[in-house]
């Protein structure tokens, strides 16, 4: 009797598992960047409710995402650091920007509140180079004449794990400082002159929160949700800007996407009075000749849906939707280059 | 399941007869004894080969892991050669070829393990001695269990606790005190040089010490128990104090076993990843002060592997290979010592 019941329930469980497996076969598989994970997850949730097709996205990091798409274990890869046009051609990949985000510097200094402090690129680079060592350094005081800054040493915090966030941050520092460019350069993991490394956005945020007189960098979405003390930035036109949707979109609007092969544009230090200087798009990679054209079709449907209906959700999470003109270009690229069924 | 009733009833038959009948009853009765015995031989042999294959599987796996580490590390070995062991720079972003040296993580691995051992060995032995010699009987079990539970806590928990609780405590209360006490003294002053830091080699070492404490305690306690009571009682009978008994009877008798336990703990300390990655600060630069951030081999691999490629990834493989070899020798030494103790006990 008992055995019988056991077998029956096992059988039911087995069928249920198979049913969910066959449902999972419908799912779109993707892997890569951790930075856009919150918005991809949100889109996926809404898309599943609307169409019944789910998204299985593994946020394992940009580099790993590139490896996975090259190995064809997923239908699309996602990366914060865009690939070069030559590499795209060689591997038969198509690349496009899906959504944008921005980085901010966060600080922990007694008495200084969110959005009170101002930096410019050169000063940030010098702090991360270890050239500016204390908070009352003339360069910082000059930018913040009204703040009372302590004579304490600056505790520099950075990411320890290789990440797209670090790529964008170091790319910006390379743009604004010749010395940073020649001594360190940009990459998902670099040879940091100073500072302690913490894991992930939450590690950097946690460390800055714990350590007095510290500075770090995180994605704006993360800083806003966790209510961190983010700072203002001076852009290349000398305007002091507040990080918000308006300044992020200004950076994207000023970019010339149509002239960039593979949409390879990093939106740091863009021209334009209102352009937030550390803005970046995050990219999707797909094969021109996918092994499973039906699955590729499903993935493109999802991304098209996200471009059309995902803007409000992106806003909610402080991501920045791609401008309509760019979306048009991207759809043209899909039609021309990706063979789907 | 259904044992034959007639097989059990045979009288005067020897054991093999009973066995043959017991086995054959379900099938057609087997008349030929030799044939039945052959069947046993076959099943014996099958069993032998099955178990042997399992054992060989483990060896093959081990060999496979080493081989794949070597294959993964090969480009880095060719490119950097022995200079990998002496280079301190870790610059994966450089074009066209990165400059990568393992000295920072290797140094960090040794120093963090060394500091952890310096803290954990005396404390662990102290606890073991207390548990076996001094602790009132009713307290021994709960105390021992509590120590063993420490070993069961997942390392990520130690990492979180270290990051949010222990590291701030050490940086705010312990480090300033040590820095003040040692400032001005030539060598110590720079080893314990300030400013205090939340993420540092020292803080990671303290967490490591707590993590390996139960290993040292549990093994030492077990080997202390092997000391024949006669020896201890004779010593007490001669008027020895507890300290003298421990110093002159217990420790010499169990020395090899204790060292084996310590080596096992060292093996864990060398390879510990998650907790260390949280707290050590992940800086590849070697600095004088142990209050400044550092990194270990395993922390470096855990941090950078996902986003690495090409030579960078190969260099991480090479670091992994070095750690593998290192821990292999440490654990082999530990096993050897424990084996010797077993043999001495048997003799």
């Amino acid at each position: 009797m008992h055995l019988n019941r056991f077998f029956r329930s096992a059988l039911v469980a087995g069928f249920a598992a198979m049913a969910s497996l066959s449902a999972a076969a419908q799912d779109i598989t993707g892997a890569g960047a951790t930075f856009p994970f919150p918005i991809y997850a949100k889109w996926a949730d809404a898309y599943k409710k609307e169409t019944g097709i789910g998204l299985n996205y593994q946020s394992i990091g940009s580099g790993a995402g590139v490896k996975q798409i090259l190995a064809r274990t997923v239908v699309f890869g996602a990366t914060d650091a865009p690939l070069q046009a030559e590499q795209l051609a060689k591997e038969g990949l198509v690349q496009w920007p899906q959504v944008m985000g921005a980085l901010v510097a966060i600080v922990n200094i007694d008495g200084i509140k969110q959005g009170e402090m101002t930096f410019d690129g050169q000063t940030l680079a010098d702090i991360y180079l270890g050239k500016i060592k204390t908070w009352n350094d003339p360069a910082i005081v000059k930018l913040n004449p009204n703040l009372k800054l302590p004579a304490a040493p600056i505790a520099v915090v950075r990411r320890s794990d290789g990440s797209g966030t670090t790529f964008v941050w170091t790319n910006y520092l390379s743009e604004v400082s010749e010395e940073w460019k020649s001594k360190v350069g940009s990459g998902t993991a670099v040879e940091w002159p100073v500072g302690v490394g913490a894991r992930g956005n939450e590690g950097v945020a946690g460390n800055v929160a714990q350590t007095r007189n510290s500075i770090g960098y995180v994605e704006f979405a993360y800083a806003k949700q966790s209510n961190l003390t983010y700072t203002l930035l001076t852009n290349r036109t000398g305007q002091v800007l507040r990080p918000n949707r308006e300044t992020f979109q200004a950076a994207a609007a000023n970019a010339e996407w149509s002239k960039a092969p593979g949409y390879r544009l990093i939106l740091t230090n863009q021209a334009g009075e209102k352009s937030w200087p550390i803005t970046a798009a995050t990219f999707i990679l797909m094969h021109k000749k996918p092994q499973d054209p039906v699955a590729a079709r499903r993935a493109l449907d999802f991304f098209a849906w996200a471009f059309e209906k995902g803007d409000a959700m992106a806003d909610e999470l402080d991501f920045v939707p791609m401008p309509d003109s760019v979306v048009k270009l991207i759809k043209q690229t899909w039609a021309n280059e990706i063979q789907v069924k | 399941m259904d044992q034959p009733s007639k097989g059990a009833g045979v009288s005067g038959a020897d054991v093999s007869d009973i066995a043959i009948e017991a086995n054959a009853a379900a099938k057609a009765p087997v008349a030929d004894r030799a044939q039945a015995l052959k069947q046993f031989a076959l099943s014996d042999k099958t069993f032998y080969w099955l178990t042997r294959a399992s054992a060989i599987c483990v060896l093959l796996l081990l060999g496979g892991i080493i081989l794949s580490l070597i294959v993964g590390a090969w480009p880095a070995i060719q490119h950097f050669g022995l200079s990998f062991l002496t280079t301190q720079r870790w610059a994966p972003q450089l074009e066209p070829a990165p400059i990568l040296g393992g000295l920072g993580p290797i140094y960090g691995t040794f120093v963090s393990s060394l500091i952890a051992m310096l803290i954990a060995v005396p404390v662990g032995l102290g606890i073991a001695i207390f548990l076996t010699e001094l602790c009132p009987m009713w307290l021994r079990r709960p105390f021992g269990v509590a120590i063993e539970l420490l070993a069961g806590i997942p390392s990520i928990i130690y990492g979180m606790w270290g990051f949010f609780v222990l590291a701030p405590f050490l940086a705010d209360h312990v480090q300033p005190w040590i820095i003040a006490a040692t400032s001005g003294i030539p060598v110590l002053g720079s080893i314990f040089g300030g400013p205090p830091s939340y993420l540092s080699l020292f803080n990671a070492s303290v967490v490591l010490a707590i993590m390996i404490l139960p290993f040292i305690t549990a093994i030492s306690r077990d080997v202390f128990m092997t000391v024949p009571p006669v020896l201890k009682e004779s010593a007490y009978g001669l008027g020895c104090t507890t300290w003298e008994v421990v110093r002159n009877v217990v420790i010499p008798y169990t020395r090899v076993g204790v060292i084996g336990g310590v080596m096992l703990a060292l093996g864990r300390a060398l390879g510990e990843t998650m907790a260390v990655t949280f707290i050590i600060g992940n800086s590849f630069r070697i600095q004088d002060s142990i209050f400044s951030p550092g990194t270990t081999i395993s922390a470096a691999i855990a941090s950078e592997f996902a986003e690495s490629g090409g030579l960078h990834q190969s260099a991480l493989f090479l670091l992994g290979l070095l750690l593998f070899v290192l821990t292999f020798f440490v654990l082999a030494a530990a096993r050897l010592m424990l084996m010797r103790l077993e043999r001495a006990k048997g003799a």
Side-chain angles (χ1 to χ4, degrees):
Chain A
M1 265 315 261
H2 275 287
L3 264 183
N4 209 343
R5 199 179 303 157
F6 170 76
F7 274 126
R8 205 178 301 162
S9 55
L11 216 62
V12 170
F15 274 122
M18 265 191 269
S20 68
L21 261 180
S22 66
Q26 288 266 319
D27 283 358
I28 303 157
T29 57
T34 48
F35 159 57
F37 175 63
I39 182 63
Y40 290 174
K42 192 164 181 130
W43 281 339
D45 214 33
Y47 192 65
K48 173 124 194 173
K49 268 179 206 143
E50 214 176 290
T51 62
I53 295 173
L55 171 73
N56 176 9
Y57 182 74
Q58 303 159 23
S59 59
I60 49 178
S62 298
V66 173
K67 265 175 240 163
Q68 297 279 311
I69 186 69
L70 287 179
R72 289 177 183 267
T73 51
V74 287
V75 175
F76 72 91
T79 176
D80 292 334
L83 299 186
Q84 302 278 4
E86 305 92 72
Q87 200 184 350
L88 291 172
K90 199 182 104 200
E91 305 287 354
L93 290 171
V94 179
Q95 172 175 272
W96 72 87
Q98 183 66 34
V99 69
M100 295 178 290
L103 303 193
V104 288
I106 53 170
V107 295
N108 175 2
I109 306 168
D110 279 347
I112 290 181
K113 294 192 217 43
Q114 200 175 63
E116 279 188 351
M117 195 160 182
T118 307
F119 287 110
D120 61 10
Q122 189 63 45
T123 312
L124 283 178
D126 286 348
I127 289 174
Y128 273 81
L129 277 168
K131 281 170 73 188
I132 294 180
K133 289 190 164 67
T134 55
W135 283 111
N136 59 352
D137 189 281
I140 304 177
V141 173
K142 202 177 137 203
L143 289 164
N144 302 282
N146 300 325
L147 291 180
K148 219 180 130 238
L149 292 161
I154 302 174
V156 174
V157 184
R158 45 154 180 99
R159 289 283 286 268
S160 65
D161 45 334
S163 81
T165 311
T166 295
F167 170 77
V168 175
W169 180 255
T170 51
N171 182 282
Y172 170 64
L173 296 185
S174 300
E175 285 281 327
V176 292
S177 159
E178 272 306 313
E179 192 177 353
W180 182 273
K181 194 173 185 176
S182 61
K183 275 193 182 161
V184 185
S186 68
T188 54
V190 297
E191 186 186 26
W192 297 96
V194 290
V196 297
R199 275 186 81 82
N201 276 310
E202 53 287 356
V204 171
N207 218 323
V208 169
Q210 277 184 352
T211 315
R212 262 200 209 159
N213 302 315
S214 59
I215 182 170
Y217 61 91
V218 293
E219 279 131 27
F220 175 69
Y222 189 84
K224 197 178 160 195
Q225 281 151 30
S226 312
N227 208 15
L228 305 173
T229 313
Y230 57 76
T231 59
L232 310 182
L233 261 179
T234 309
N235 74 359
R236 63 193 288 178
T237 60
Q239 297 283 324
V240 177
L241 296 177
R242 192 166 274 281
N244 57 33
R245 189 183 172 187
E246 193 192 348
T247 55
F248 301 159
Q249 275 196 327
N254 283 306
E256 294 191 83
W257 291 98
S258 57
K259 288 186 185 153
Y263 299 97
R264 192 181 187 283
L265 267 192
I266 299 147
L267 301 173
T268 54
N269 209 26
Q270 287 289 315
E273 290 223 324
K274 291 251 169 225
S275 297
W276 180 255
I278 329 179
T279 311
T282 180
F283 297 82
I284 301 286
L285 292 165
M286 272 178 73
H287 283 284
K288 283 181 183 166
K289 290 179 187 150
Q291 264 174 351
D292 183 349
V294 180
R297 169 82 269 158
R298 271 201 292 267
L300 285 184
D301 283 347
F302 169 72
F303 289 123
W305 176 90
F307 278 139
E308 261 157 48
K309 301 192 182 172
D311 288 5
M313 282 177 261
D315 274 343
E316 269 174 53
L317 293 182
D318 296 296
F319 283 89
V320 186
M322 298 305 297
D324 288 343
S325 57
V326 184
V327 171
K328 222 169 167 185
L329 282 173
I330 293 169
K331 285 187 174 164
Q332 197 59 46
T333 308
W334 290 351
N336 293 346
E337 296 189 15
I338 304 180
Q339 297 173 7
V340 295
K341 256 182 211 160
Chain B
M1 274 287 155
D2 23 344
Q3 281 287 335
S5 50
K6 62 174 182 176
V10 177
S11 59
D14 62 21
V15 180
S16 67
D17 283 325
I18 296 173
I20 290 168
E21 295 215 0
N23 197 38
K27 306 168 216 149
V30 180
D32 193 357
R33 230 182 120 204
Q35 199 188 335
L37 279 174
K38 212 189 266 171
Q39 253 177 17
F40 283 138
L42 186 74
S43 70
D44 253 8
K45 214 168 218 169
T46 320
F47 186 65
Y48 168 74
W49 279 106
L50 270 178
T51 49
R52 190 178 199 181
S54 320
I56 290 173
C57 244
V58 173
L59 285 182
L60 282 180
L61 265 179
L62 188 70
I65 291 171
I66 298 177
L67 203 69
S68 57
L69 277 178
I70 293 175
V71 168
W74 192 247
I77 294 173
Q78 275 189 320
H79 190 267
F80 300 112
L82 274 180
S83 74
F84 187 79
L85 298 176
T86 53
T87 309
Q88 211 199 110
R89 285 193 69 187
W90 185 268
Q93 84 282 8
L94 289 185
E95 297 286 340
I99 297 174
L100 300 165
L103 192 61
I106 294 168
Y107 166 86
T109 305
F110 275 113
V111 170
S112 62
S113 298
L114 179 76
I115 300 172
M117 298 310 277
L118 285 179
I119 299 170
V121 170
V123 176
L125 288 183
I127 298 172
I129 291 169
F130 176 74
L131 280 178
T132 50
E133 304 297 326
L134 299 165
C135 187
M137 269 303 174
W138 62 271
L139 203 59
R140 279 187 194 185
R141 267 191 79 85
F143 221 120
V145 168
I147 298 283
E148 277 159 21
L149 278 182
L150 269 183
I153 299 176
S155 62
I156 190 83
I157 308 283
Y158 278 106
M160 285 166 61
W161 173 75
F163 183 80
F164 286 112
V165 182
L166 187 70
F169 173 79
L170 289 173
D172 291 341
H173 301 289
V174 179
Q175 289 183 13
W177 182 77
I178 301 179
I179 291 167
T182 56
S183 76
I185 305 169
V187 181
L188 287 181
S190 61
I191 292 179
F192 299 110
S197 166
Y198 288 83
L199 303 186
S200 70
L201 209 53
F202 174 75
N203 291 359
S205 308
V206 173
V207 173
L208 266 185
I210 297 169
M211 293 179 73
I212 59 176
L213 196 62
F215 288 80
I216 297 173
T217 305
I219 294 179
S220 311
R221 188 193 57 183
D222 289 350
V223 293
F224 287 166
M225 301 257 213
T226 64
V227 180
V230 174
L231 288 183
K232 287 196 280 187
E233 277 159 21
S234 326
Y236 281 121
L238 288 171
C240 288
T241 60
T242 309
W243 162 246
E244 283 166 334
V245 171
V246 169
R247 169 77 188 74
N248 298 314
V249 178
V250 176
I251 299 274
Y253 189 86
T254 56
R255 195 173 46 220
V256 186
V258 169
I259 294 175
V262 168
M263 298 289 250
L264 278 181
L266 179 60
R268 165 125 202 220
L270 288 171
E272 177 49 44
T273 310
M274 259 355 269
V276 172
T277 314
F278 262 65
I279 311 163
I280 202 161
N282 302 296
S283 166
F284 284 80
R285 248 159 246 273
I286 298 175
Q287 291 169 52
D288 294 340
S289 169
I290 58 170
F291 295 149
S292 50
T295 189
T296 67
I297 293 177
S298 48
I301 297 173
S303 294
E304 298 200 349
F305 200 76
E307 290 286 333
S308 65
L311 263 183
H312 183 197
Q313 190 168 69
S314 180
L316 292 172
F317 263 110
L318 182 51
L319 279 179
L321 182 65
L322 289 173
L323 182 64
F324 189 96
V325 172
L326 203 71
T327 40
F328 184 81
F329 278 114
V330 168
L331 289 181
R335 288 270 153 233
L336 213 67
M337 282 181 190
L338 287 174
M339 235 154 64
R340 256 198 232 155
L341 180 82
E342 292 289 318
R343 218 175 290 152
K345 226 169 64 183

